[in-house]
Amino acid sequence: MIKIENLWKIYGNDKIKVEALKGISLEVEKGEFVAIMGPSGSGKSTFMNILGCLDRPTRGSFILDNVEVEKLKDTDLAVIRNKKLGFVFQSFNLLPRISAFKNVELPMIYANVPLKERSKRAIAALEKVGLKDRIHHKPNELSGGQRQRVAIARALVNNPSVILADEPTGNLDSKSSEEIMDIFKSLNDEGVTIVLVTHEIEVAKKAKRIITFRDGEIIEDTKNMGTGDE
Ligand code: ADP
Ligand code: ADP
């Protein structure tokens, strides 16, 4: 599903150069649940921005569902972002003035999904994350964990190939963190592919595979043999 080969990202100009990614290669199969760890400055955000089609590599190839992403025009990248990727952020990034339902509906409006279908899918997604009784609440009427659940529902509604989550538990207390990870885990059990960045080992342990970055390179890539429930 994701195939990355010899990916480089170099920031800067002739005078100052930062090699943020130094020839990363990796494959992620459909149905995997991957946690990315590594110290600050190791290239995690740069990597996620490329995976998320927000930024382009300096060189190397990135194939998503048989599409050579690095060759696409910006307008096509925007289409991929909406159709094939679901995003979950540390700061939730919900629109504050509209309900949970409307927040979840939004990506489907951009994807031209008909009204009736939008409504059905938004409710089903909110139900999936355990928020059926909160669909008309606005973000400020919800707890942090509930807001993140709305964000996960929003990430799901267009049936993305992969969900990309950048420190999704970074703003949550430990109980809400665990609830969020349990939701990711049950989505993954249903076949949703997930790649998430975290610096908390307890969070990473819920994933089935842990990849560690250092200085723009992958220094470790291990399958998590446990159940993820410990
Ligand atoms: P992480 O997410 O692991 O903290 P980043 O991907 O943010 O790492 O950063 C990797 C390296 O690239 C760091 O040395 C950082 O300073 C540098 N970097 C990140 N973004 C930029 C940018 N827009 N311009 C220049 N350097 C950058
Ligand atoms: P965090 O919540 O982890 O601090 P941010 O919210 O700053 O992360 O978002 C990370 C990156 O994603 C930024 O480059 C930002 O511009 C981009 N971004 C944030 N929100 C959206 C969104 N709704 N759609 C697309 N890109 C977004």
Side-chain angles (χ1 to χ4, degrees):
M1 159 171 300
I2 294 172
K3 189 160 196 257
I4 282 166
E5 258 173 353
N6 200 21
L7 198 76
W8 285 76
K9 180 70 185 184
I10 301 168
Y11 292 110
N13 50 36
D14 293 342
K15 292 205 178 83
I16 315 154
K17 277 200 173 63
V18 178
E19 294 180 333
L21 296 176
K22 300 192 277 199
I24 299 280
S25 297
L26 105 134
E27 284 184 46
V28 177
E29 306 286 346
K30 186 169 164 41
E32 282 205 71
F33 185 178
V34 180
I36 293 177
M37 300 197 76
S40 185
S42 58
K44 304 182 301 293
S45 304
T46 299
F47 180 71
M48 290 297 273
N49 284 342
I50 292 172
L51 268 190
C53 302
L54 288 162
D55 199 0
R56 291 170 179 281
T58 307
R59 36 176 205 279
S61 91
F62 166 26
I63 295 172
L64 174 65
D65 286 345
N66 300 316
V67 175
E68 294 177 80
V69 177
E70 81 282 0
K71 292 188 179 152
L72 298 179
K73 292 179 299 206
D74 285 354
T75 47
D76 296 326
L77 284 186
V79 173
I80 293 239
R81 283 173 55 73
N82 194 40
K83 283 206 175 153
K84 293 194 178 276
L85 303 171
F87 294 91
V88 177
F89 302 96
Q90 177 171 4
S91 47
F92 321 131
N93 291 5
L94 300 174
L95 292 181
R97 307 181 78 90
I98 61 174
S99 67
F101 177 88
K102 294 263 182 207
N103 268 285
V104 174
E105 189 189 22
L106 214 52
M108 294 185 283
I109 295 178
Y110 295 137
N112 296 316
V113 177
L115 178 73
K116 245 176 132 176
E117 171 82 12
R118 292 206 300 265
S119 177
K120 213 170 72 188
R121 272 157 61 177
I123 291 167
L126 283 161
E127 197 166 358
K128 204 170 245 186
V129 299
L131 282 184
K132 203 184 177 209
D133 53 348
R134 294 284 190 282
I135 66 173
H136 298 302
H137 286 57
K138 289 181 185 164
N140 69 2
E141 297 162 341
L142 298 169
S143 70
Q146 289 171 335
R147 289 180 203 184
Q148 195 60 301
R149 287 195 262 162
V150 175
I152 293 170
R154 179 183 59 185
L156 278 173
V157 282
N158 282 337
N159 286 318
S161 301
V162 56
I163 289 194
L164 302 176
D166 193 354
E167 295 278 1
T169 62
N171 278 335
L172 301 176
D173 58 64
S174 55
K175 183 167 171 286
S176 306
S177 283
E178 206 172 326
E179 285 167 9
I180 291 300
M181 291 310 294
D182 286 342
I183 288 173
F184 278 129
K185 201 170 170 301
S186 66
L187 291 173
N188 177 249
D189 287 340
E190 290 173 29
V192 178
T193 311
I194 300 165
V195 177
L196 72 80
V197 169
T198 182
H199 57 256
E200 295 167 85
I201 186 68
E202 289 312 312
V203 169
K205 274 183 182 165
K206 298 270 182 176
K208 289 196 260 185
R209 175 179 174 191
I210 302 180
I211 295 175
T212 310
F213 278 59
R214 192 160 69 205
D215 295 334
E217 292 177 298
I218 292 175
I219 56 159
E220 212 179 319
D221 186 346
T222 51
K223 291 262 189 296
N224 186 357
M225 291 306 179
T227 60
D229 285 329
E230 66 272 27

mmCIF file with all atom_site columns, all heavy atoms in Angstrom, residues 31-46:
data_model
loop_
_atom_site.group_PDB
_atom_site.id
_atom_site.type_symbol
_atom_site.label_atom_id
_atom_site.label_alt_id
_atom_site.label_comp_id
_atom_site.label_asym_id
_atom_site.label_entity_id
_atom_site.label_seq_id
_atom_site.pdbx_PDB_ins_code
_atom_site.Cartn_x
_atom_site.Cartn_y
_atom_site.Cartn_z
_atom_site.occupancy
_atom_site.B_iso_or_equiv
_atom_site.pdbx_formal_charge
_atom_site.auth_seq_id
_atom_site.auth_comp_id
_atom_site.auth_asym_id
_atom_site.auth_atom_id
_atom_site.pdbx_PDB_model_num
ATOM 1   N N   . GLY A 1 31 ? -3.612 -2.781 6.423  1.00 0.00 ? 31 GLY A N   1
ATOM 2   C CA  . GLY A 1 31 ? -3.969 -3.407 7.694  1.00 0.00 ? 31 GLY A CA  1
ATOM 3   C C   . GLY A 1 31 ? -2.918 -3.303 8.785  1.00 0.00 ? 31 GLY A C   1
ATOM 4   O O   . GLY A 1 31 ? -3.135 -3.763 9.898  1.00 0.00 ? 31 GLY A O   1
ATOM 5   N N   . GLU A 1 32 ? -1.786 -2.662 8.476  1.00 0.00 ? 32 GLU A N   1
ATOM 6   C CA  . GLU A 1 32 ? -0.759 -2.506 9.515  1.00 0.00 ? 32 GLU A CA  1
ATOM 7   C C   . GLU A 1 32 ? -1.118 -1.385 10.486 1.00 0.00 ? 32 GLU A C   1
ATOM 8   O O   . GLU A 1 32 ? -1.920 -0.494 10.182 1.00 0.00 ? 32 GLU A O   1
ATOM 9   C CB  . GLU A 1 32 ? 0.604  -2.201 8.869  1.00 0.00 ? 32 GLU A CB  1
ATOM 10  C CG  . GLU A 1 32 ? 1.274  -3.427 8.286  1.00 0.00 ? 32 GLU A CG  1
ATOM 11  C CD  . GLU A 1 32 ? 2.790  -3.254 8.210  1.00 0.00 ? 32 GLU A CD  1
ATOM 12  O OE1 . GLU A 1 32 ? 3.439  -3.261 9.266  1.00 0.00 ? 32 GLU A OE1 1
ATOM 13  O OE2 . GLU A 1 32 ? 3.304  -3.089 7.090  1.00 0.00 ? 32 GLU A OE2 1
ATOM 14  N N   . PHE A 1 33 ? -0.505 -1.448 11.657 1.00 0.00 ? 33 PHE A N   1
ATOM 15  C CA  . PHE A 1 33 ? -0.658 -0.394 12.671 1.00 0.00 ? 33 PHE A CA  1
ATOM 16  C C   . PHE A 1 33 ? 0.757  -0.057 13.127 1.00 0.00 ? 33 PHE A C   1
ATOM 17  O O   . PHE A 1 33 ? 1.384  -0.811 13.862 1.00 0.00 ? 33 PHE A O   1
ATOM 18  C CB  . PHE A 1 33 ? -1.517 -0.915 13.822 1.00 0.00 ? 33 PHE A CB  1
ATOM 19  C CG  . PHE A 1 33 ? -1.870 0.093  14.883 1.00 0.00 ? 33 PHE A CG  1
ATOM 20  C CD1 . PHE A 1 33 ? -2.682 -0.265 15.943 1.00 0.00 ? 33 PHE A CD1 1
ATOM 21  C CD2 . PHE A 1 33 ? -1.412 1.404  14.834 1.00 0.00 ? 33 PHE A CD2 1
ATOM 22  C CE1 . PHE A 1 33 ? -3.032 0.650  16.935 1.00 0.00 ? 33 PHE A CE1 1
ATOM 23  C CE2 . PHE A 1 33 ? -1.745 2.332  15.809 1.00 0.00 ? 33 PHE A CE2 1
ATOM 24  C CZ  . PHE A 1 33 ? -2.556 1.943  16.857 1.00 0.00 ? 33 PHE A CZ  1
ATOM 25  N N   . VAL A 1 34 ? 1.262  1.085  12.632 1.00 0.00 ? 34 VAL A N   1
ATOM 26  C CA  . VAL A 1 34 ? 2.666  1.444  12.813 1.00 0.00 ? 34 VAL A CA  1
ATOM 27  C C   . VAL A 1 34 ? 2.791  2.655  13.725 1.00 0.00 ? 34 VAL A C   1
ATOM 28  O O   . VAL A 1 34 ? 2.097  3.656  13.531 1.00 0.00 ? 34 VAL A O   1
ATOM 29  C CB  . VAL A 1 34 ? 3.308  1.796  11.446 1.00 0.00 ? 34 VAL A CB  1
ATOM 30  C CG1 . VAL A 1 34 ? 4.777  2.177  11.618 1.00 0.00 ? 34 VAL A CG1 1
ATOM 31  C CG2 . VAL A 1 34 ? 3.155  0.660  10.455 1.00 0.00 ? 34 VAL A CG2 1
ATOM 32  N N   . ALA A 1 35 ? 3.678  2.555  14.712 1.00 0.00 ? 35 ALA A N   1
ATOM 33  C CA  . ALA A 1 35 ? 4.020  3.723  15.529 1.00 0.00 ? 35 ALA A CA  1
ATOM 34  C C   . ALA A 1 35 ? 5.417  4.185  15.151 1.00 0.00 ? 35 ALA A C   1
ATOM 35  O O   . ALA A 1 35 ? 6.319  3.366  14.978 1.00 0.00 ? 35 ALA A O   1
ATOM 36  C CB  . ALA A 1 35 ? 3.976  3.373  17.011 1.00 0.00 ? 35 ALA A CB  1
ATOM 37  N N   . ILE A 1 36 ? 5.575  5.486  14.987 1.00 0.00 ? 36 ILE A N   1
ATOM 38  C CA  . ILE A 1 36 ? 6.880  6.066  14.688 1.00 0.00 ? 36 ILE A CA  1
ATOM 39  C C   . ILE A 1 36 ? 7.368  6.825  15.909 1.00 0.00 ? 36 ILE A C   1
ATOM 40  O O   . ILE A 1 36 ? 6.652  7.683  16.440 1.00 0.00 ? 36 ILE A O   1
ATOM 41  C CB  . ILE A 1 36 ? 6.803  6.984  13.454 1.00 0.00 ? 36 ILE A CB  1
ATOM 42  C CG1 . ILE A 1 36 ? 6.502  6.121  12.225 1.00 0.00 ? 36 ILE A CG1 1
ATOM 43  C CG2 . ILE A 1 36 ? 8.096  7.762  13.268 1.00 0.00 ? 36 ILE A CG2 1
ATOM 44  C CD1 . ILE A 1 36 ? 6.336  6.882  10.954 1.00 0.00 ? 36 ILE A CD1 1
ATOM 45  N N   . MET A 1 37 ? 8.567  6.470  16.356 1.00 0.00 ? 37 MET A N   1
ATOM 46  C CA  . MET A 1 37 ? 9.145  7.119  17.529 1.00 0.00 ? 37 MET A CA  1
ATOM 47  C C   . MET A 1 37 ? 10.490 7.748  17.140 1.00 0.00 ? 37 MET A C   1
ATOM 48  O O   . MET A 1 37 ? 10.973 7.544  16.028 1.00 0.00 ? 37 MET A O   1
ATOM 49  C CB  . MET A 1 37 ? 9.369  6.097  18.651 1.00 0.00 ? 37 MET A CB  1
ATOM 50  C CG  . MET A 1 37 ? 8.105  5.406  19.106 1.00 0.00 ? 37 MET A CG  1
ATOM 51  S SD  . MET A 1 37 ? 8.310  4.614  20.717 1.00 0.00 ? 37 MET A SD  1
ATOM 52  C CE  . MET A 1 37 ? 8.244  6.037  21.807 1.00 0.00 ? 37 MET A CE  1
ATOM 53  N N   . GLY A 1 38 ? 11.086 8.458  18.083 1.00 0.00 ? 38 GLY A N   1
ATOM 54  C CA  . GLY A 1 38 ? 12.394 9.049  17.820 1.00 0.00 ? 38 GLY A CA  1
ATOM 55  C C   . GLY A 1 38 ? 12.496 10.401 18.476 1.00 0.00 ? 38 GLY A C   1
ATOM 56  O O   . GLY A 1 38 ? 11.479 11.065 18.695 1.00 0.00 ? 38 GLY A O   1
ATOM 57  N N   . PRO A 1 39 ? 13.724 10.820 18.790 1.00 0.00 ? 39 PRO A N   1
ATOM 58  C CA  . PRO A 1 39 ? 13.899 12.100 19.480 1.00 0.00 ? 39 PRO A CA  1
ATOM 59  C C   . PRO A 1 39 ? 13.461 13.290 18.624 1.00 0.00 ? 39 PRO A C   1
ATOM 60  O O   . PRO A 1 39 ? 13.308 13.169 17.409 1.00 0.00 ? 39 PRO A O   1
ATOM 61  C CB  . PRO A 1 39 ? 15.401 12.156 19.773 1.00 0.00 ? 39 PRO A CB  1
ATOM 62  C CG  . PRO A 1 39 ? 16.036 11.129 18.916 1.00 0.00 ? 39 PRO A CG  1
ATOM 63  C CD  . PRO A 1 39 ? 14.996 10.119 18.565 1.00 0.00 ? 39 PRO A CD  1
ATOM 64  N N   . SER A 1 40 ? 13.285 14.416 19.275 1.00 0.00 ? 40 SER A N   1
ATOM 65  C CA  . SER A 1 40 ? 12.959 15.658 18.590 1.00 0.00 ? 40 SER A CA  1
ATOM 66  C C   . SER A 1 40 ? 14.046 15.965 17.558 1.00 0.00 ? 40 SER A C   1
ATOM 67  O O   . SER A 1 40 ? 15.234 15.814 17.832 1.00 0.00 ? 40 SER A O   1
ATOM 68  C CB  . SER A 1 40 ? 12.877 16.763 19.651 1.00 0.00 ? 40 SER A CB  1
ATOM 69  O OG  . SER A 1 40 ? 12.465 17.938 19.045 1.00 0.00 ? 40 SER A OG  1
ATOM 70  N N   . GLY A 1 41 ? 13.616 16.355 16.372 1.00 0.00 ? 41 GLY A N   1
ATOM 71  C CA  . GLY A 1 41 ? 14.576 16.694 15.326 1.00 0.00 ? 41 GLY A CA  1
ATOM 72  C C   . GLY A 1 41 ? 15.036 15.505 14.498 1.00 0.00 ? 41 GLY A C   1
ATOM 73  O O   . GLY A 1 41 ? 15.874 15.646 13.607 1.00 0.00 ? 41 GLY A O   1
ATOM 74  N N   . SER A 1 42 ? 14.470 14.316 14.745 1.00 0.00 ? 42 SER A N   1
ATOM 75  C CA  . SER A 1 42 ? 14.941 13.124 14.034 1.00 0.00 ? 42 SER A CA  1
ATOM 76  C C   . SER A 1 42 ? 14.289 12.944 12.660 1.00 0.00 ? 42 SER A C   1
ATOM 77  O O   . SER A 1 42 ? 14.653 12.042 11.916 1.00 0.00 ? 42 SER A O   1
ATOM 78  C CB  . SER A 1 42 ? 14.728 11.873 14.897 1.00 0.00 ? 42 SER A CB  1
ATOM 79  O OG  . SER A 1 42 ? 13.370 11.719 15.237 1.00 0.00 ? 42 SER A OG  1
ATOM 80  N N   . GLY A 1 43 ? 13.297 13.807 12.338 1.00 0.00 ? 43 GLY A N   1
ATOM 81  C CA  . GLY A 1 43 ? 12.708 13.756 11.000 1.00 0.00 ? 43 GLY A CA  1
ATOM 82  C C   . GLY A 1 43 ? 11.289 13.209 10.943 1.00 0.00 ? 43 GLY A C   1
ATOM 83  O O   . GLY A 1 43 ? 10.727 13.049 9.863  1.00 0.00 ? 43 GLY A O   1
ATOM 84  N N   . LYS A 1 44 ? 10.689 12.970 12.099 1.00 0.00 ? 44 LYS A N   1
ATOM 85  C CA  . LYS A 1 44 ? 9.346  12.366 12.131 1.00 0.00 ? 44 LYS A CA  1
ATOM 86  C C   . LYS A 1 44 ? 8.305  13.245 11.445 1.00 0.00 ? 44 LYS A C   1
ATOM 87  O O   . LYS A 1 44 ? 7.515  12.759 10.636 1.00 0.00 ? 44 LYS A O   1
ATOM 88  C CB  . LYS A 1 44 ? 8.912  12.097 13.589 1.00 0.00 ? 44 LYS A CB  1
ATOM 89  C CG  . LYS A 1 44 ? 9.872  11.234 14.378 1.00 0.00 ? 44 LYS A CG  1
ATOM 90  C CD  . LYS A 1 44 ? 9.374  10.968 15.799 1.00 0.00 ? 44 LYS A CD  1
ATOM 91  C CE  . LYS A 1 44 ? 9.146  12.218 16.641 1.00 0.00 ? 44 LYS A CE  1
ATOM 92  N NZ  . LYS A 1 44 ? 10.357 12.970 16.986 1.00 0.00 ? 44 LYS A NZ  1
ATOM 93  N N   . SER A 1 45 ? 8.290  14.535 11.801 1.00 0.00 ? 45 SER A N   1
ATOM 94  C CA  . SER A 1 45 ? 7.282  15.432 11.203 1.00 0.00 ? 45 SER A CA  1
ATOM 95  C C   . SER A 1 45 ? 7.511  15.594 9.707  1.00 0.00 ? 45 SER A C   1
ATOM 96  O O   . SER A 1 45 ? 6.545  15.608 8.929  1.00 0.00 ? 45 SER A O   1
ATOM 97  C CB  . SER A 1 45 ? 7.322  16.827 11.838 1.00 0.00 ? 45 SER A CB  1
ATOM 98  O OG  . SER A 1 45 ? 7.165  16.713 13.211 1.00 0.00 ? 45 SER A OG  1
ATOM 99  N N   . THR A 1 46 ? 8.765  15.715 9.330  1.00 0.00 ? 46 THR A N   1
ATOM 100 C CA  . THR A 1 46 ? 9.098  15.832 7.912  1.00 0.00 ? 46 THR A CA  1
ATOM 101 C C   . THR A 1 46 ? 8.565  14.621 7.160  1.00 0.00 ? 46 THR A C   1
ATOM 102 O O   . THR A 1 46 ? 7.935  14.735 6.108  1.00 0.00 ? 46 THR A O   1
ATOM 103 C CB  . THR A 1 46 ? 10.628 15.935 7.739  1.00 0.00 ? 46 THR A CB  1
ATOM 104 O OG1 . THR A 1 46 ? 11.076 17.100 8.426  1.00 0.00 ? 46 THR A OG1 1
ATOM 105 C CG2 . THR A 1 46 ? 11.020 16.014 6.274  1.00 0.00 ? 46 THR A CG2 1
#
